[in-house]
Amino acid sequence: MLETYILGIESSCDDTSAAILHNKRVLSNVIANQEVHSQYGGVVPELASRAHQRNIIPVIENSLQLAKINKKQISAVSFTRGPGLLGSLLVGVSFAKAFAYSLNIPLIEVDHLKAHILSHFIVDEKNNVYPSFPFLCLIISGGHTQIVKVNSPLSMELLGQTIDDAAGETFDKTAKILDLPYPGGPSVSKAAEKGNPFKFNFAKPKIEGLNFSFSGLKTSFLYTIRDNLKLNPNFISENINDLAASIQRTIVDILVEKMILASEITGINEIALAGGVSANLKLRNTFTDIAFNKKWNLFLPQLQYTTDNAAMIAIAGYFKFLNNDFASFDVTPYTKTSF
Ligand code: KG4
Ligand code: ZN
């Protein structure tokens, strides 16, 4: 078997990450989070690009040290081409080009969303079962909510997606309304632990087929708060856990219902979750119960591969490497989804 060492670089949003894979096995996966955004309640693109610029070299050096390899052993460099924030992407793309050019090794462009899906094939001490093809993957991240039919590592079909907000964005906006810290998903989920998920009912969208909508839910949440604050100025603080648990339950219900439909329509029972929101415990538990009832083979990513990381960029790069699918050196980032 061909021995490959792929360097993966991720810089699409607010995490600067570098990983090294030996074939499909992770040797290192270093992530520098950017604390600077928490005070603004969301990612500030200009600040994100500057932080990537500061972090990229230390993160790469750290990934090489942890992997205990020399940069001359690297077979190819894979990087996130998009979607994401342009200024952030440019840092990773430019670094990847310079690195590959100086070592005279191939450059591989990777789609961030496809990489979230392919994170299921990363090999490490805990990962030893993998989805078989074709499988359905629900990608739930800060910017995307999509159902994808995965025919092979290099062949994927989009079956449905959100027509407005993403699931992660809904968690983040909810947190902002409740004055909980950014990123919203983990803080809403924490508040929800002590709350009653059936205390409040919010309007669920009525969207045909496999598309999603979350903007009506966000409005319903906002109006519930606004109307109740008129009657009780302490409404949020007195109900914060129940509000968090109820909105979390509604988001999870919407996602579960669509995946059940997707499985029925396609006849596929091999189901995977991917993206930052798939770290949510309530979501993982609910999907596990449904999988048991519906006899699905369910694949939940390990927590370190749910949110943005470069190991997933390296595994996506590995599959392209095997296919000799290389990028040219005049490649530029894209900001919108490629599906
Ligand atoms: O995949 P990701 O790291 O970045 C994007 O590609 O967008 O996803 C980030 C999203 C954020 O919206 C964040 O609030 C959400 O994932 N998230 C969660 C949890 N952890 C992160 N949402 C719900 N529950 C969590 N535990
Ligand atoms: Zn992501």
Side-chain angles (χ1 to χ4, degrees):
M1 188 192 189
L2 185 65
E3 296 294 312
T4 62
Y5 290 91
I6 307 278
L7 166 65
I9 299 172
E10 157 62 27
S11 73
S12 65
C13 190
D14 61 339
D15 295 304
T16 319
S17 181
I20 295 174
L21 257 61
H22 174 215
N23 298 331
K24 291 185 196 165
R25 180 170 292 279
V26 178
L27 300 183
S28 64
N29 183 32
V30 178
I31 304 172
N33 307 111
Q34 302 179 1
E35 287 304 321
V36 64
H37 306 288
S38 56
Q39 60 187 299
Y40 301 99
V43 177
V44 184
E46 175 83 19
L47 297 178
S49 333
R50 287 168 195 240
H52 283 304
Q53 194 73 261
R54 268 194 308 276
N55 293 340
I56 187 99
I57 302 269
V59 163
I60 299 280
E61 282 187 339
N62 200 354
S63 71
L64 285 164
Q65 276 162 8
L66 290 174
K68 298 193 178 59
I69 65 160
N70 185 288
K71 61 177 183 295
K72 296 210 168 72
Q73 290 173 264
I74 307 252
S75 325
V77 184
S78 67
F79 64 94
T80 306
R81 184 176 173 197
L85 301 169
L86 184 65
S88 290
L89 290 164
L90 278 169
V91 177
V93 175
S94 304
F95 180 89
K97 283 186 188 184
F99 194 90
Y101 192 72
S102 67
L103 292 169
N104 198 22
I105 55 176
L107 191 60
I108 303 172
E109 56 148 298
V110 164
D111 180 87
H112 181 87
L113 297 168
K114 291 178 181 163
H116 268 300
I117 297 174
L118 295 172
S119 66
H120 282 281
F121 297 94
I122 293 169
V123 174
D124 67 17
E125 59 284 352
K126 291 202 202 113
N127 242 20
N128 49 25
V129 271
Y130 313 98
S132 8
F133 300 104
F135 66 94
L136 297 180
C137 187
L138 174 65
I139 310 175
I140 28 181
S141 71
H144 297 88
T145 304
Q146 300 183 323
I147 300 176
V148 177
K149 180 172 171 233
V150 187
N151 301 313
S152 78
L154 302 178
S155 161
M156 304 186 189
E157 287 167 61
L158 181 66
L159 301 185
Q161 64 181 329
T162 182
I163 57 166
D164 41 55
D165 295 344
E169 210 172 344
T170 314
F171 272 106
D172 294 335
K173 286 180 177 164
T174 301
K176 214 166 185 173
I177 297 167
L178 297 178
D179 210 16
L180 290 169
Y182 177 86
S187 48
V188 169
S189 154
K190 189 160 191 335
E193 280 169 19
K194 295 186 222 88
N196 172 2
F198 298 100
K199 175 87 178 277
F200 298 101
N201 277 315
F202 304 112
K204 273 207 220 155
K206 293 184 180 59
I207 302 287
E208 294 283 303
L210 297 179
N211 285 338
F212 299 87
S213 165
F214 287 97
S215 71
L217 173 61
K218 188 186 62 192
T219 312
S220 166
F221 184 74
L222 202 60
Y223 285 1
T224 302
I225 304 252
R226 187 195 61 185
D227 295 347
N228 280 284
L229 277 177
K230 284 185 198 147
L231 308 171
N232 171 11
N234 298 325
F235 175 72
I236 293 184
S237 58
E238 286 172 9
N239 293 281
I240 193 152
N241 296 335
D242 296 338
L243 284 164
S246 301
I247 188 97
Q248 177 176 261
R249 178 202 32 104
T250 315
I251 296 170
V252 170
D253 282 353
I254 293 169
L255 296 170
V256 164
E257 281 165 21
K258 288 289 176 173
M259 279 316 271
I260 291 175
L261 183 61
S263 168
E264 283 169 5
I265 291 173
T266 58
I268 296 174
N269 284 346
E270 198 85 354
I271 309 286
L273 306 185
V277 181
S278 66
N280 186 277
L281 197 60
K282 163 83 179 158
L283 178 97
R284 293 170 83 95
N285 290 340
T286 310
F287 265 95
T288 303
D289 291 344
I290 301 285
F292 182 78
N293 289 333
K294 300 267 174 201
K295 300 193 170 43
W296 289 352
N297 271 336
L298 178 68
F299 296 86
L300 301 172
Q302 280 183 55
L303 287 183
Q304 76 256 37
Y305 305 130
T306 56
T307 45
D308 291 347
N309 67 86
M312 70 184 196
I313 305 304
I315 190 84
Y318 173 75
F319 288 117
K320 284 191 151 189
F321 184 87
L322 295 184
N323 209 35
N324 287 324
D325 186 348
F326 303 131
S328 73
F329 276 85
D330 59 3
V331 63
T332 55
Y334 55 82
T335 54
K336 298 271 185 289
T337 173
S338 68
F339 275 112

